Each structure stands twice: as structure tokens, then as C-alpha cells.
Amino acid sequence: MSSTAETAATLRLLIVDDEVLIRSGLTVILGSAPDIEVVGSCAGADALTAVREHRPDVVLLDIRMPDVDGITLLRHIRRLPEPPHVAMLTTFDTDEYLGEALALGAGGFLLKDTDPEVLVRSVRALGTGAGCMSSSVVRRLRDGGRGGEAVSADRAVAELSGREKQVLTFIGEGLSNGEIGARMCFSTATAKDDVSAVLTKLGVANRVQAAVIAERAGLLGADGA
């Protein structure tokens, strides 16, 4: 995974959406942030070429596009040697592809009508490796996991120590490694190690998958992360 976002002041962002108006709007909103550089925007057919050319830290990727769907692109992006962090863009929090994108390692899920300030914060969070999800998307994923999946989440969390459960709760709340360290009174490096240990113990690929487990296991508030 690209380490640029961890070491540089400016995040390199690529926007992939089939609608020119959406791309333009996101470019204006996110490009106005002093620490975010929109290095490119394109439709789905040009996405893989753009990722290879621009080497972004973060990609905002539309799920539904007429030329090539976002799920297929996500699968190809995740196979790259140093894949960027990817957040899926969707119009509906009921999108049936959310679960599949999660399984493929999407680092976030954002509705296209997300408040601009929240959108900027979400991109920054993605750049640090923290997940980002609109609260309604969290509820959708949670509700889709009742029954057997909810039981599995409870069992997975039961294997964690008290400290690990606290770390998982903070992951579910969308905190960065630095913020987790500050809350628990230890260094960012220690927080990073603890987060990695929790992900490994849960058997998940990223923080978003861990956040869904935290939600399904009842570690988060009723309103989601």
C-alpha cells in the first residue's frame, strides 16, 4: 500500500466517476483543501491507466458506471503492487454491491451527497489508512449482517483482550492511529502495532472490515461510526 500519505503533507487524489458534473464538483470541493491535490479525474474506462500514471494515495471510485463497474476496477486496483486506498462512491446506501466491495478490501464507502467538510475529513482519514463510511452505509452493512454474521462478529470479538476491544472500538469510530494512541496514552507507533494485531486476530484485510465487526458486535453507538 502506498506510504506517501503517511510521510507527505499533501495527499494525491484520483476521482473516478462516469459523470463529468460529479467529477468536477468533487474536484472543486476536495481540491480546495490545502493538503489534498487532485492529480486526476476520469471515467471508469481510463481508471487503471490513471492509477498507474498518477500513483495516487487515495482513489474515490464510483460503484456503478456504464463502461466498467467499480467492483471490477476495485478488484484490479487491489492487485497492483502498491495499491492506493480506495473509497467507493455510491448514490444509494442500499447499494447491493457494498458487501462485495467490502470483501474486496474497499477502505471506505461514501454517499455522493456527503457534506463537503465530511468528505474532506474522510479523504484525509483514508490517506492515513483509517476507514471512512457514511453513517447510513454503516447501518446498511450492520443490518445486512444479522443472524449468523452477527454471531460470528460476537465470537470474533470475544477472542480479543480488553485492550484490543478498546482499540477495535476506536477503529470503528474512525480514529487514526495517532488519535487512538492519544486516547490510550501511548505512542502512534504502538497504536499502529495494536491496530495491526487486531486486524490479524479478526482475520480482516482492513480497518473498514474491522469497523463493521465492531458495529455488528455492538461495540459502537446506535448511530454507527
Side-chain angles (χ1 to χ4, degrees):
M1 189 170 288
S2 173
S3 62
T4 305
E6 295 283 344
T7 59
T10 302
L11 285 172
R12 295 171 58 80
L13 173 68
L14 174 68
I15 299 167
V16 180
D17 194 289
D18 63 301
E19 297 185 34
V20 175
L21 185 60
I22 294 293
R23 298 202 304 266
S24 299
L26 291 174
T27 297
V28 170
I29 292 170
L30 293 165
S32 66
D35 55 342
I36 297 174
E37 177 187 3
V38 180
V39 295
S41 67
C42 62
D46 301 316
L48 287 177
T49 299
V51 170
R52 293 188 180 102
E53 177 182 349
H54 297 295
R55 298 182 62 81
D57 302 304
V58 175
V59 176
L60 296 185
L61 177 61
D62 189 16
I63 288 185
R64 300 184 182 218
M65 293 179 285
D67 47 4
V68 57
D69 66 273
I71 297 298
T72 298
L73 287 172
L74 175 62
R75 186 177 290 109
H76 288 300
I77 290 172
R78 293 292 298 165
R79 289 173 180 167
L80 294 174
E82 294 184 1
H85 303 287
V86 180
M88 309 305 294
L89 288 170
T90 179
T91 306
F92 307 104
D93 58 1
T94 56
D95 199 312
E96 66 267 28
Y97 297 113
L98 293 177
E100 187 174 0
L102 177 65
L104 287 172
F109 300 87
L110 295 169
L111 297 179
K112 291 184 180 180
D113 61 355
T114 298
D115 180 86
E117 291 186 6
V118 174
L119 189 62
V120 170
R121 290 200 303 269
S122 297
V123 169
R124 288 172 176 154
L126 278 164
T128 68
C132 67
M133 285 192 286
S134 298
S135 59
S136 58
V137 174
V138 174
R139 288 192 293 271
R140 166 68 175 173
L141 291 170
R142 176 195 65 199
D143 294 341
R146 299 200 182 281
E149 289 186 20
V151 172
S152 296
D154 289 338
R155 289 175 178 169
V157 170
E159 297 297 319
L160 303 180
S161 67
R163 170 167 161 163
E164 289 169 336
K165 287 180 183 177
Q166 186 62 71
V167 170
L168 177 58
T169 299
F170 289 144
I171 291 173
E173 292 174 354
L175 272 61
S176 66
N177 291 337
E179 291 168 333
I180 292 174
R183 292 282 188 93
M184 301 189 72
C185 298
F186 47 63
S187 70
T188 299
T190 299
K192 183 178 180 179
D193 289 341
D194 280 6
V195 168
S196 295
V198 168
L199 299 187
T200 299
K201 209 163 186 179
L202 293 175
V204 297
N206 59 42
R207 297 168 71 117
V208 172
Q209 292 174 338
V212 172
I213 288 177
E215 175 65 46
R216 290 174 176 171
L219 295 183
L220 308 182
D223 291 331

